[in-house]
Amino acid sequence: MTIVIYGGTIVNEGRAFEGSVLIQDDRITSIIEGKKAPCGHYDKQVDATGCFVLPGIIDEHVHFREPGLTAKADIDSESRAAAYGGVTSFFDMPNTVPQTTSLETLLAKHELGRQHSHVNYTFIFGATNQNADLIPALNLHQVPAIKLFMGASTGDMLVDRRETLEQIFRTCPFPIIAHCEDSTLINANMQTYKQRLGEQVDISLHPIIRSEAACYKSTALAVALAKKYGTRLHVAHLTTAKELTFFGSDDNITAEAVIPHLMFYDDDYKTLKSLIKCNPAIKTKADREALRRALTTGEIHTVATDHAPHLLPDKQGGACTAASGMPMVQFSLPTVLELVDAGVLTIERLVTLMCHHPALLFGVNERGFLRENYKADITIVKPNTPWTVTESVIQSKCKWSPMMGHTYQWKVMQTFCNGHLVYDDGVFDEDYRGEALCFRR
């Protein structure tokens, strides 16, 4: 099948220009600059006049909950939400039930992805205190990264033995994605407030309990180990201005910002309460503004979502009892485009952070750029096209969002995955399945 996308502004590799993208089957065959649509016969013509044509968004940090927690979400529902949001590839985190900490559970997840994912997929392997010997033997072309909970986790994925941390950083052939919070400090803070207030600790204290100091101490350790062993380290969901000082000067040590920390700050707990509870916690306005500035300075290398759905009843309560996490994969691209409108970053920089850098950091093969012979993962967005988040709009199974009632000005019009139009302005192809991502090493 041949497709031409014409009339739009192509944003790719630091440039924005009028042009056309030609697709045959699952690959881009040509990118042609100029207003005029190229001559020829095409099975499908897509008029992108007034729109921006981007590489498909790569979300390197999601929790799609399958297997084991499928009342909250599953790969079918959340990959649908991804397609609606212009996300063509996702990296799913390992803290499911069972956890992705063995070869058997990793292969089982890949089978679930093959059967149910509407966009491209991969699954991150989780480190524990017991499985460090497995990591060097994993398939270099199948596994994108190792997730390391360095100080705060549920279940048994907390890696808190110094000898195990040293072994993982010394021997790991993959990028390490680290969740950096020091559990000793967090537990001490929690105990202090429980003794003072009982079990009903107000949500406004969440960023005090999961504090700047807890984040900084753990990140400092991760960076020190990465420098000691020359390990490729990517620190997930950075939340504080203080932590930014570790990044920007060493290409081997990078940081991720996620949508909740770019969108909200601690004053928002007054109105949204536990709906915006996440780990690490949303912190001060000064921290949020520092993260936003870092999008353009090189201190932040990628932008993802940490998409983490829960049922709405689980989100009720305070700092002790409400579940942490929120569904954002459908709204990440429109949210960052609002930051473009606000002058926080350019649309070219958005594409670098959400498409190019994830592909380069993890070695995603033939994706993340609009290039000849690359896979045709393409997202078309239109400005000045208002739409409001309502329950009926939300594709995630949990059917709520902290963005409920918010009116966006940018709209995802089409999402092409491997040259297939999986989402077309409200029309979704339920039958399409994405591909497993492959990685260059």
Side-chain angles (χ1 to χ4, degrees), residues 64-358:
F64 280 2
R65 303 302 190 193
E66 192 172 359
L69 299 168
T70 53
K72 300 179 179 185
D74 56 39
I75 290 172
D76 170 72
S77 64
E78 307 315 290
S79 67
R80 182 188 305 112
Y84 270 69
V87 174
T88 56
S89 299
F90 67 84
F91 294 25
D92 188 58
M93 289 293 164
N95 48 333
T96 46
V97 180
Q99 296 164 343
T100 316
T101 55
S102 68
L103 183 59
E104 292 75 18
T105 53
L106 178 65
L107 294 176
K109 260 196 176 179
H110 269 273
E111 181 59 21
L112 290 170
R114 186 189 69 80
Q115 292 180 18
H116 301 300
S117 183
H118 300 289
V119 297
N120 305 316
Y121 56 90
T122 192
F123 301 96
I124 291 171
F125 190 83
T128 71
N129 280 321
Q130 291 78 39
N131 72 353
D133 290 339
L134 288 176
I135 292 171
L138 295 171
N139 188 329
L140 289 169
H141 305 294
Q142 182 188 53
V143 176
I146 302 302
K147 181 64 178 286
L148 183 60
F149 288 91
M150 289 194 60
S153 174
T154 56
D156 60 357
M157 289 189 67
L158 170 61
V159 181
D160 55 359
R161 296 177 187 167
R162 183 58 181 253
E163 62 271 25
T164 305
L165 286 172
E166 297 267 356
Q167 179 184 353
I168 291 169
F169 275 88
R170 185 178 67 250
T171 63
C172 186
F174 304 93
I176 290 174
I177 300 177
H179 179 133
C180 292
E181 292 184 282
D182 186 270
S183 57
T184 301
L185 289 176
I186 291 169
N187 292 340
N189 291 337
M190 181 64 83
Q191 187 63 26
T192 296
Y193 283 104
K194 279 186 174 182
Q195 288 175 350
R196 187 183 305 169
L197 303 170
E199 291 295 321
Q200 298 305 314
V201 178
D202 190 79
I203 187 59
S204 63
L205 295 171
H206 186 55
I208 310 301
I209 294 166
R210 303 186 85 96
S211 63
E212 175 193 78
C215 294
Y216 186 85
K217 182 179 179 181
S218 184
T219 298
L221 174 59
V223 170
L225 289 170
K227 288 183 175 180
K228 179 178 180 179
Y229 294 111
T231 316
R232 184 68 180 87
L233 172 67
H234 192 53
V235 177
H237 40 46
L238 215 67
T239 62
T240 72
K242 189 174 182 180
E243 289 169 281
L244 287 169
T245 59
F246 291 117
F247 305 99
S249 60
D250 186 339
D251 292 340
N252 216 36
I253 297 172
T254 53
E256 165 198 274
V258 296
I259 300 301
H261 305 124
L262 293 170
M263 186 70 182
F264 304 112
Y265 65 97
D266 56 3
D267 201 48
D268 294 312
Y269 290 116
K270 294 176 184 176
T271 53
L272 292 169
K273 300 187 182 301
S274 295
L275 292 182
I276 59 167
K277 186 187 179 206
C278 55
N279 299 337
I282 289 163
K283 296 187 175 63
T284 69
K285 187 175 184 180
D287 289 315
R288 187 192 71 172
E289 297 311 301
L291 291 174
R292 288 183 173 188
R293 287 192 298 272
L295 297 177
T296 60
T297 61
E299 294 153 300
I300 293 296
H301 195 67
T302 61
V303 170
T305 60
D306 195 6
H307 175 86
H310 294 281
L311 297 178
L312 193 55
D314 296 337
K315 291 294 293 180
Q316 309 308 307
C320 298
T321 55
S324 294
M326 63 189 84
M328 293 299 280
V329 72
Q330 187 176 343
F331 310 114
S332 60
L333 179 55
T335 298
V336 183
L337 285 165
E338 286 193 343
L339 297 183
V340 170
D341 286 343
V344 172
L345 73 167
T346 65
I347 195 167
E348 293 89 347
R349 184 65 180 169
L350 177 155
V351 167
T352 297
L353 293 166
M354 301 183 78
C355 309
H356 302 339
H357 278 178

Side-chain angles (χ1 to χ4, degrees), residues 374-389:
Y374 267 48
K375 291 283 189 172
D377 294 344
I378 299 169
T379 298
I380 301 175
V381 292
K382 189 172 185 179
N384 305 313
T385 308
W387 60 283
T388 301
V389 180

